[in-house]
Amino acid sequence: MGNTINFYVASCVPDGGVYRCKLDVDGRVETKKVISAPSPMWIEPAGDESLWVLMRAPFEDSPNSGVAKFSLIDSKIIGDILSTEGEAACHLAVDGDNLYAANYISG
């Protein structure tokens, strides 16, 4: 085990994002915003240096939630934001090549 523990936190506020945190052996936490995303509700590892980010309402013309893969190297979206076809998405699960989202308000 190294001298630090690295982890990610989603900040679910309109100008929120995903933060990389480092916890050292003395209990100090260092945070750095690595992904700007509107109201991220859930994050899930997506493979090499990327995360799936579930966002509450990223579309200007729709209340639907969305999910996108973001690079942890350059913080950019990989592909498109996909709609969850429902409102207030609250959970994301990855099973092999399948991605599942649960919507709090609309199922």
Side-chain angles (χ1 to χ4, degrees):
M1 184 168 164
N3 293 333
T4 61
I5 297 172
N6 297 300
F7 59 97
Y8 293 90
V9 174
S11 173
C12 183
V13 294
D15 63 345
V18 177
Y19 293 80
R20 177 181 289 141
C21 302
K22 292 182 181 181
L23 174 65
D24 70 20
V25 294
D26 295 325
R28 289 185 298 259
V29 177
E30 175 187 327
T31 61
K32 179 183 177 186
K33 190 173 192 175
V34 293
I35 295 172
S36 292
S39 301
M41 301 288 285
W42 191 272
I43 53 177
E44 194 72 34
D48 294 339
E49 300 296 325
S50 62
L51 286 175
W52 287 108
V53 179
L54 186 62
M55 297 164 279
R56 179 161 182 146
F59 307 108
E60 289 184 24
D61 59 345
S62 170
N64 286 349
S65 294
V67 62
K69 184 187 274 190
F70 284 85
S71 167
L72 292 171
I73 296 170
D74 63 10
S75 302
K76 294 182 180 178
I77 291 178
I78 301 169
D80 296 322
I81 299 175
L82 307 171
S83 176
T84 64
E85 301 297 328
E87 296 180 51
C90 59
H91 184 75
L92 186 65
V94 180
D95 181 23
D97 291 336
N98 299 307
L99 182 65
Y100 301 94
N103 296 300
Y104 184 71
I105 292 176
S106 59

